[in-house]
């Protein structure tokens, strides 16, 4: 039995590697894939592989569940669109919901949790008010500290939950905490965001802020096609920011799989994709992060990346150790590595004094 | 990690435990069940902390699918923890059938399905009927085939609570009982192995023929249940109805439309058995 | 068009060629009474949201009427029936009553009649949504 | 746009599975994956709407061909409430009105 999640990485990269697996390997692979929330993705990848009957049943089940998540995510987006139909600015879907709404490969079988949207920072109060009054969302928690913390330092509103549907929405105004050292150009991302029904093109043409009452498609009033997604380069940059420059790499294998699928698909449709990604990432102060993600994606998933980006860095090995820290029971392993990345994630988010204050307040509240 | 695995109906589980004793208990109680090659679900019984593995050991339930805020149980109740862990995998992860939180017994290829709140007696009733001429199909979940609508058995260990323990001790073979666990969050619990025949025939489905909503502790009564109420109650008794989408809707409406439903109130197990058998004669 | 056909309204209502004389009255209900119950995922239904609702006995559709032992609404002078004032019971009280406790302030027989009334609630009647939400198995 | 009345249009018929069940009607809405249990007059409203975009008054006229709606003012108020409910659930779309 393999001792870490390279088993899962191999199966995703090259489905044919699963032909050599015995019953114990399969058991481990399934437990890992569930723990990393990649079981639906694995099911899509192994669709045309011949697998043991029991595995076929498990993967078919994972597809049913992925369908359910996809349906719920799109519906949630549509409900948000309806609540925000009087808001004239762009509402940009992000992460999993965006991938399925735009019908991208990264969305196939993907686990989708909360709804994430991006809006202009100055419009947050208006968007918040519409979601609360028209949409039926409410605050998850009434807590002055957390509230003030979110509003002052984070890149999103405190989370809202829908009264009836029990689903959360995160409204972002940029892609990283305001305290983080890189400052991505959120206004630029919004400007380049594209309507979902326009085919995603790398050379994003800015879409005019729509006058919703006139440009709305005649077949429906508030379907997901009135929503936007980020331009291809920005979508990849957001995926990276989320993974490398912000998080503690929890869910890292899934985020890296998103990176792999997005870059591969976009580069196939536009040979200039990588240079544009490079330029765009530099503008958002995230080029080192994007290059790091690309190297990891090459190393784990065999992504084709520009040759000049592929030079190994010493730190990459630590990222790989962290990304694959999972045993055959789906348990997290490598506690020290995990802790190091956890501290790193807080370090990246906040200046040291604020980090100390944050941890102190959290600790006091127990 | 000590390991154990068993197949219950269509679902196979493996259980990993940091202690040996729960695995030994499980192995004894699941002796009649087949061993799977590849399990559908993994459940882990883990110490709350390194220290708590030895001092006042406390069992955390972990697994492929989990709910937040699960409370740990003392090691003496590890068997219950394992059962809860397996139930949770089914409730949260199973998508191959429409899953009903219900008990069931079979006769002549037809299934009597019983559902109700905790304490309604649906589990005890299925165990009692399983000792008196019916084939026991399961006391916790009934799985409806999405294509055919047939009820597929899930005959896991019968989980007897409080007064039901003595009632069944009077009826079943003493060798088929697990240890008595006192003072669990659900009161006293003792597991009972289903009859050998129930386990041997666990791949054999049955056509749903009668749905009962039993309620323990009330005067003898039988009430009609309107299909609308039945529908609402069954959707709330199914943890995967919504996730199954259209297939779930089709299976559920077919089940409601073709299966007569009654609510029954009863004061004793014997009363409930005769009520159920009377309605079966009349309706099934 | 006869009354028995009403449930097929979705499929046939618009196609029926019915003259003004045979038009039946459409049961419109009150503007404030919801005509829709939506099925929620069983696990997402937290105890908190379940226990905050209330059920009036009887609802506005039965005000001034008595409740028979089997829960039907009957004329106030019906023998063996119980008066009811539209008293509201919380989801928690009804849930306890479903488990065998009595609704607060009721006699044994009265409690059974009231509970039978609640069980008979139909979609669109005040309290039905609350009652439906109590049907969670655990 | 001042005098424009909103138009309503039900989701297409193949977007829903409809199952009458003893006086109630179950509706499975494919796009949302949500099941609704509805009572009269909801199924009748959806049937009358068909796939057309209608104002409230047009809907009222269609319904009154098949049904006795009683007091017209009261009927319109109830209908408006039901339609709002269906819009909230996503079974009916509210379209911007057109100046006729």
């Amino acid at each position: 039995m393999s001792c870490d999640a390279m088993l899962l990485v191999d199966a995703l990269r090259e489905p044919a590697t699963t032909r050599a697996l015995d019953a114990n390997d399969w058991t481990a692979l399934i437990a890992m894939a569930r723990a990393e929330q990649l079981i639906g993705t694995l099911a899509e990848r192994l669709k045309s592989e011949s697998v043991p009957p029991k595995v076929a049943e498990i993967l078919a089940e994972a597809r049913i569940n992925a369908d359910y998540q996809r349906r719920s995510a799109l519906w949630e987006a549509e409900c948000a669109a309806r609540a925000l139909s009087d808001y004239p600015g762009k509402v940009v879907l992000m992460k999993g919901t965006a991938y399925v709404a735009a019908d991208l490969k990264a969305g196939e079988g993907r686990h989708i949790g909360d709804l994430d949207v991006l809006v202009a920072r100055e419009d947050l109060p208006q968007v918040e008010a519409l979601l609360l009054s028209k949409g039926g969302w409410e605050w998850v928690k009434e807590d002055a500290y957390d509230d003030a913390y979110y509003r002052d330092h984070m890149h999103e509103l405190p989370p809202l939950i829908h009264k009836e549907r029990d689903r959360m929405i995160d409204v972002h105004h940029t892609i990283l905490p305001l305290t983080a050292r890189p400052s991505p150009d959120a206004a630029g991302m919004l400007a380049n965001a594209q309507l979902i029904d326009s085919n995603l093109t790398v050379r994003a043409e800015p879409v005019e802020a729509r006058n919703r009452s006139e440009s709305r498609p005649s077949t429906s009033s508030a379907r997901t096609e009135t929503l936007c997604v980020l331009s291809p380069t920005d979508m990849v940059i957001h995926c990276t920011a989320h993974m490398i420059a912000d998080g503690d790499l929890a869910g890292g294998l899934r985020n890296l799989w998103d990176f792999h699928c997005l870059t591969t698909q976009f580069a196939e449709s536009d040979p200039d994709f990588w240079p544009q990604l490079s330029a765009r990432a530099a503008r958002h102060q995230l080029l080192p992060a994007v290059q790091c993600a690309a190297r990891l994606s090459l190393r784990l998933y065999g992504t084709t990346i520009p040759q000049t980006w592929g030079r190994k860095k010493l730190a990459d090995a630590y990222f790989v150790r962290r990304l694959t820290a999972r045993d055959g029971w789906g348990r997290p392993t490598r506690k020290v590595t995990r802790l190091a990345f956890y501290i790193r994630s807080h370090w990246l988010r906040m200046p040291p004094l604020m980090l100390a204050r944050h941890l102190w307040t959290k600790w006091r509240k127990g | 990690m000590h390991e154990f695995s068993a197949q219950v109906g269509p679902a196979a589980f493996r259980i990993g435990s940091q202690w040996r004793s729960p695995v030994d208990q499980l192995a004894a109680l699941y002796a009649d069940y087949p061993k799977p090659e590849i399990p559908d679900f993994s459940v882990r019984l883990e110490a709350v902390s390194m220290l708590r593995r030895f001092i006042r050991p406390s069992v955390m339930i972990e697994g492929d699918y989990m709910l937040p805020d699960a409370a740990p149980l003392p090691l003496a109740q590890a068997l219950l923890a394992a059962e809860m862990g397996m139930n949770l995998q089914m409730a949260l992860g199973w998508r191959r059938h429409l899953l009903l939180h219900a008990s069931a017994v079979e006769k002549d290829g037809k299934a009597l399905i019983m559902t109700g709140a905790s304490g309604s007696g649906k589990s005890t009733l299925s165990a009692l009927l399983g000792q008196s001429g019916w084939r026991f199909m399961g006391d916790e979940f009934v799985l409806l085939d999405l294509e055919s609508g047939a009820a597929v058995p899930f005959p896991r260990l019968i989980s007897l609570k409080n007064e039901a323990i003595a009632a069944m001790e009077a009826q079943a073979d003493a060798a088929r009982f697990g240890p008595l666990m006192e003072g669990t969050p659900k009161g006293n619990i003792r597991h009972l192995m289903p009859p050998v025949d129930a386990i041997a025939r666990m791949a054999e489905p049955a056509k749903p023929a009668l749905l009962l909503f039993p309620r323990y502790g009330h005067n003898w009564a039988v009430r009609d249940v309107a299909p609308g109420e039945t529908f609402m109650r069954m959707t709330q008794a199914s943890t995967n109805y919504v996730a199954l989408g259209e297939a779930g809707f089709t299976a559920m409406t077919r089940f409601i439309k073709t299966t007569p439903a009654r609510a029954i109130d009863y004061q004793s197990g014997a009363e409930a058995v005769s009520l159920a058998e009377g309605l079966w004669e009349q309706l099934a | 068009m006869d009354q028995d056909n009403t449930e097929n309204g979705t499929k046939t209502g618009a196609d029926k060629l019915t003259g003004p004389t045979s038009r039946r009255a459409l049961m419109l209900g009150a503007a404030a009474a919801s005509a829709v119950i939506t099925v929620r995922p069983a696990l997402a239904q937290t105890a908190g949201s379940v226990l905050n609702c209330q059920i009036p006995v009887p609802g506005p559709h039965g005000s001034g009427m008595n409740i028979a032992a089997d829960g039907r609404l009957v004329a106030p002078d019906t023998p063996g029936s119980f008066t009811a004032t539209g008293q509201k019971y919380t989801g928690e009280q009804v849930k306890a009553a479903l488990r065998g406790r009595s609704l607060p302030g009721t006699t044994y027989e009265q409690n059974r009649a009231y509970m039978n009334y609640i069980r008979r609630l139909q979609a669109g009647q005040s309290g039905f949504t609350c009652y439906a939400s109590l049907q969670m198995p655990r | 746009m001042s005098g424009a009345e909103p138009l309503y249009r039900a989701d297409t018929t193949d977007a829903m599975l409809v199952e009458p069940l003893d006086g109630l009607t179950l509706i499975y809405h494919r796009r949302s994956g949500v099941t609704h249990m509805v009572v009269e007059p909801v199924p009748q409203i959806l049937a009358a709407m068909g796939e057309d975009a209608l104002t409230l008054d047009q809907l009222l006229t269609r319904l009154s061909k098949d049904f006795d709606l009683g007091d017209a003012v009261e009927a319109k108020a109830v209908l408006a409430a039901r339609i709002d409910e269906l819009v909230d659930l996503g079974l009916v779309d509210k379209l911007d009105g057109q100046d006729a």
Side-chain angles (χ1 to χ4, degrees):
Chain A
M1 195 185 286
S2 179
C3 64
D4 71 13
M6 276 312 289
L7 182 64
L8 172 59
V9 167
D10 290 342
L12 289 172
R13 188 191 65 246
E14 183 45 69
T17 59
T18 59
R19 289 172 202 168
L21 301 186
D22 65 17
N24 284 338
D25 296 330
W26 277 113
T27 304
L29 174 61
I30 287 158
M32 286 172 185
R34 284 186 176 140
E36 294 287 342
Q37 296 184 313
L38 275 164
I39 186 77
T41 307
L42 183 67
E44 283 301 319
R45 284 296 280 168
L46 300 187
K47 224 173 195 169
S48 44
E49 281 297 313
S50 146
V51 301
K54 192 59 156 179
V55 175
E57 284 180 41
I58 291 169
L59 296 181
E61 181 166 71
R63 276 182 218 112
I64 293 175
N65 206 49
D67 282 349
Y68 165 54
Q69 295 201 5
R70 180 180 185 280
R71 193 166 60 232
S72 318
L74 291 176
W75 181 246
E76 208 55 27
E78 188 176 326
C79 291
R82 204 179 303 123
L84 298 175
S85 60
D86 292 336
Y87 169 64
K90 286 184 183 175
V91 178
V92 184
L93 297 177
M94 304 216 286
K95 301 186 202 166
T97 310
Y99 306 155
V100 294
D103 211 14
L104 295 171
K105 281 217 171 63
E108 290 175 2
R110 194 186 189 276
H111 169 86
I112 309 174
D114 303 340
L115 173 62
D116 292 280
V117 297
L118 176 75
V119 299
R121 189 177 186 187
E122 61 274 16
D123 294 342
L124 278 181
Q126 189 187 352
V127 168
E128 182 178 12
L130 283 168
L131 290 174
L132 290 170
S133 65
K134 275 188 71 185
W137 276 272
E138 53 193 26
W139 298 120
V140 173
K141 48 185 174 181
E142 304 279 349
D143 182 307
Y145 170 74
D146 280 313
D147 215 32
Y149 172 75
Y150 264 100
R151 282 159 202 272
D152 293 348
H153 306 300
M154 292 302 280
H155 52 310
E156 59 195 40
L157 287 173
L160 294 160
I161 192 161
H162 196 271
K163 280 180 224 169
E164 304 290 327
R165 297 190 301 273
D166 295 314
R167 306 249 325 177
M168 310 254 275
I169 183 170
D170 284 328
V171 183
H172 307 251
H173 60 80
T174 182
I175 60 166
L176 279 178
L178 298 176
T179 51
R181 263 138 277 178
S183 325
D185 172 14
M189 285 200 167
L190 269 174
N192 277 16
Q194 301 164 249
L195 278 174
I196 287 165
D197 56 357
S198 65
N199 283 324
L200 285 191
T201 51
V202 176
R203 236 176 299 274
E205 284 145 44
V207 181
E208 297 296 312
R210 290 142 303 132
N211 179 341
R212 280 162 185 267
S213 58
E214 276 165 28
S215 69
R216 182 172 297 159
S218 60
T219 50
S220 77
S221 59
R223 301 282 168 87
T224 47
E225 55 265 36
T226 66
L227 297 166
C228 294
V229 293
L230 293 173
S231 72
T233 48
D234 285 344
M235 200 182 275
V236 171
I237 290 160
H238 175 235
C239 166
T240 309
H242 188 49
M243 170 171 53
I244 307 277
D246 181 14
D248 60 359
L249 256 67
L253 281 184
R254 195 185 69 204
N255 289 325
L256 194 65
W257 181 255
D258 290 342
F259 182 93
H260 166 74
C261 292
L262 292 174
T263 53
T264 304
Q265 191 173 2
F266 294 145
E268 270 168 16
S269 66
D270 187 329
D272 286 339
F273 173 73
W274 286 102
Q276 289 181 47
L277 177 62
S278 179
R280 191 77 180 160
R283 172 171 169 188
H284 291 304
Q285 303 178 4
L286 282 163
L287 185 57
V290 169
Q291 288 181 328
C292 174
R295 289 193 308 272
L296 293 171
S297 191
L298 162 66
R299 195 155 160 168
L300 294 181
Y301 296 132
T303 317
T304 309
I305 67 168
Q307 281 190 344
T308 50
W309 290 24
R311 248 170 290 142
K312 279 187 185 173
K313 292 255 170 85
L314 204 61
D316 293 357
Y318 291 100
F319 278 91
V320 171
R321 252 186 84 73
R322 169 62 187 86
L323 286 169
T324 57
R326 190 70 73 179
D327 73 4
W329 281 87
R331 285 179 298 188
T333 54
R334 298 172 189 155
K335 287 207 171 94
V336 176
T337 308
R338 282 177 179 269
L339 181 66
F341 274 90
Y342 178 77
I343 293 169
R344 173 184 179 270
S345 77
H346 279 76
W347 178 256
L348 290 172
R349 271 169 199 242
M350 301 177 198
L353 180 62
M354 192 189 296
L355 173 58
R357 219 181 281 144
H358 171 69
L359 293 176
W360 167 248
T361 312
K362 280 274 171 201
W363 175 79
R364 248 191 345 185
K365 287 163 62 111
Chain B
M1 192 102 108
H2 302 278
E3 198 172 331
F4 159 82
S5 65
Q7 169 104 25
V8 183
F13 302 88
R14 82 171 159 160
I15 297 182
S17 166
Q18 291 189 337
W19 303 270
R20 197 190 164 87
S21 57
V23 162
D24 288 344
Q25 288 177 337
L26 286 163
L29 286 165
Y30 280 91
D32 294 344
Y33 293 76
K35 295 251 166 289
E37 252 215 314
I38 299 173
D40 293 285
F41 298 114
S42 298
V43 173
R44 308 188 308 266
L45 306 179
E46 296 186 344
V48 174
S49 66
M50 201 93 97
L51 206 62
R52 295 297 288 275
R53 185 169 168 188
F54 305 104
I55 302 162
R56 283 190 292 124
S58 227
V59 185
M60 275 305 283
I61 308 168
E62 300 284 352
D64 291 339
Y65 298 94
M66 281 308 301
L67 279 180
D69 304 327
L73 291 168
L75 182 58
Q77 296 168 17
L79 190 55
L80 175 62
E83 288 290 317
M84 286 167 90
M86 287 190 272
N87 287 341
L88 203 58
Q89 303 314 305
M90 290 302 286
L92 299 179
W94 196 258
R95 300 281 185 262
R96 286 169 244 179
H97 300 86
L98 179 62
L99 182 141
L100 303 178
H101 213 138
S103 67
V105 292
E106 177 262 2
K107 199 183 254 185
D108 306 326
K110 294 185 289 184
L112 163 60
I113 297 172
M114 294 160 279
T115 187
S118 163
S120 64
K122 67 177 190 305
S123 175
T124 315
L125 204 44
S126 66
L128 286 170
L129 289 164
Q131 296 287 331
S132 53
W134 298 72
R135 170 166 66 110
F136 174 82
M137 291 178 72
D139 78 331
E140 183 79 11
F141 298 124
V142 172
L143 310 170
L144 294 187
D145 189 287
L146 295 171
E147 301 287 323
S148 69
V152 173
F154 184 73
R156 55 154 218 174
L157 297 183
I158 302 164
S159 171
L160 300 168
K161 296 182 196 89
N162 304 320
E163 308 94 86
I165 299 173
M168 287 309 294
E169 280 169 347
Q171 300 236 2
D173 179 359
R176 296 186 78 76
F177 285 87
L180 174 67
M181 289 176 280
E182 288 177 295
T184 79
K186 295 176 169 187
N188 292 349
I189 287 191
R190 194 165 184 194
H191 289 101
L192 168 64
M193 296 164 76
V196 179
D197 171 60
I199 300 169
R201 294 170 63 195
M202 70 186 187
E204 236 177 82
K207 190 181 179 322
L210 178 62
L211 171 64
L212 292 180
F213 295 95
R215 202 168 54 136
Y216 172 70
H218 297 259
N219 284 331
W220 190 102
V222 177
R223 283 187 317 279
D224 286 354
V225 189
E229 186 187 335
T230 307
F231 182 81
M232 268 305 172
R233 289 174 80 152
M234 295 321 290
T235 56
Q236 291 313 297
S238 171
T239 49
N240 68 7
Y241 168 75
V242 173
L244 289 174
E246 190 169 333
F249 179 80
T250 308
M252 185 67 93
T253 48
R254 174 171 49 192
F255 173 65
I256 306 286
K257 285 181 152 183
T258 56
T259 316
R262 294 288 184 278
I264 59 170
D265 291 355
Y266 66 97
Q267 301 273 21
S268 74
E271 198 174 69
V273 167
S274 81
L275 260 174
E277 293 196 317
L279 287 168
W280 180 262
E281 289 306 314
Q282 196 188 319
L283 298 165
Chain C
M1 185 195 276
D2 59 50
Q3 284 290 322
D4 295 337
N5 258 344
T6 56
E7 68 224 43
N8 296 325
T10 324
K11 284 172 178 161
T12 62
D15 308 330
K16 283 252 155 119
L17 292 168
T18 45
T21 48
S22 63
R23 290 186 317 163
R24 74 167 175 86
L26 188 63
M27 293 196 281
L28 284 166
S34 166
V36 182
I37 301 173
T38 297
V39 174
R40 302 177 65 172
L43 274 178
Q45 209 168 23
T46 56
S49 67
V50 167
L51 301 180
N52 281 329
C53 60
Q54 52 188 13
I55 302 175
V57 179
H61 65 285
S63 66
M65 298 182 83
N66 272 15
I67 291 173
D70 65 0
R72 276 177 305 118
L73 290 168
V74 293
D77 54 355
T78 309
S81 69
F82 301 88
T83 55
T85 56
Q87 161 93 40
K88 290 177 174 128
Y89 297 100
T90 65
E92 199 168 20
Q93 289 165 339
V94 174
K95 200 167 188 176
L98 286 167
R99 292 200 182 117
R101 293 244 302 274
S102 278
L103 292 169
T106 60
T107 64
Y108 180 75
E109 300 296 338
Q110 195 182 10
N111 175 64
R112 283 201 55 176
Y114 283 13
M115 287 307 292
N116 283 335
Y117 163 80
I118 291 170
R119 269 188 213 99
R120 297 174 78 108
L121 282 172
Q122 296 275 320
Q125 293 174 346
S126 184
F128 179 83
T129 311
C130 183
Y131 176 62
S133 76
L134 297 175
Q135 304 306 321
M136 219 174 49
R138 307 267 124 137
Chain D
M1 300 271 302
S2 54
E5 273 204 62
L7 291 168
Y8 298 96
R9 179 168 45 210
D11 216 340
T12 54
T13 31
D14 60 348
M16 302 180 208
L17 287 178
V18 178
E19 278 284 351
L21 186 73
D22 193 43
L24 300 162
T25 301
L26 303 173
I27 296 178
Y28 175 77
H29 185 217
R30 286 202 169 100
R31 216 145 39 83
S32 60
V34 173
T35 309
H36 306 284
M37 186 191 271
V38 303
V39 290
E40 196 167 324
V42 171
Q44 290 76 11
I45 290 174
L46 290 173
M49 291 179 90
E51 307 210 345
D52 306 321
L54 303 172
T55 64
L56 212 49
D57 284 320
Q58 288 168 328
L59 174 60
L60 214 59
T61 311
R62 281 199 185 182
L63 274 171
S64 59
K65 279 187 195 138
D66 289 320
F67 302 101
D68 175 4
L69 302 180
D71 179 73
V73 176
E74 206 177 296
K76 188 173 177 181
V78 175
L79 216 54
R82 291 293 78 78
I83 287 283
D84 281 347
E85 201 172 12
L86 295 176
V87 169
D88 280 347
L89 296 171
L91 293 174
V92 167
D93 279 335
K94 185 177 185 176
L95 310 173
D96 292 307
Q98 285 154 8
D99 294 304

